[in-house]
Amino acid sequence: MHSIELLPDAATDRAVRGVWQALADEGLPSQSAHRHPTNRPHLTLATAETIPPEARTALAEALDALPLPLHLTGLLRFSGRVDVLAWAVRPDAALLELHETVWRILRETPGADDRPNPLLSPARWVPHITLGRGRGAVWPGPDGRWLPEEATGPGALRGRWAEARSYDSTSRTTAGIGPGAP
């Protein structure tokens, strides 16, 4: 499976990693426990079984919209087979448009995907950056205590979506897409 992901600017990346560490310091499930070199804060836009060359070209064109504003707000919790604690991303019109475009490219390119993830469809997408996950994981409240002080006010934490990449879950490798990609 391949995912298309947005990566935050360096300051936002550090802030998210700081929350990962704060969770870990309390002995709570945290993304900091995942030591693979590809593990970093990101926002998943879409997934596909494969990304044919014509889709990669169209994605690169769409991702020329970067950088885009990034707004992190409060915490979210998702329950299911795996429980997740995440930092909510407040989407603006530009991010919603980019997400819709990426989704459409992967749905309309022959050979890209015949089993789209319904949770990433524009109608159901809940943009977030994962902070921790695990089966039966529990993060006792209050939620805001792990967030940096500057991220708990009315404007929350602001930054930029600076880059994009694809991640291949089979080979556990990444490749840049769009501006600044090799």
Side-chain angles (χ1 to χ4, degrees), residues 5-26 28-42 70 72 75 87 129-132 146-148 150-151 157 163 165 174:
E5 304 170 346
L6 296 183
L7 305 173
D9 61 78
T12 306
D13 185 278
R14 282 190 303 276
V16 172
R17 289 176 189 272
V19 176
W20 288 0
Q21 191 58 54
L23 291 166
D25 289 348
E26 289 190 35
L28 299 170
S30 167
Q31 288 302 99
S32 70
H34 299 280
R35 301 281 184 208
H36 195 271
T38 61
N39 182 41
R40 65 181 289 192
H42 67 275
L70 177 160
L72 296 175
L75 296 181
W87 206 338
I129 295 177
T130 300
L131 300 173
W146 301 298
L147 299 179
E150 68 274 13
L157 188 69
E163 312 170 49
R165 71 178 186 178
T174 62

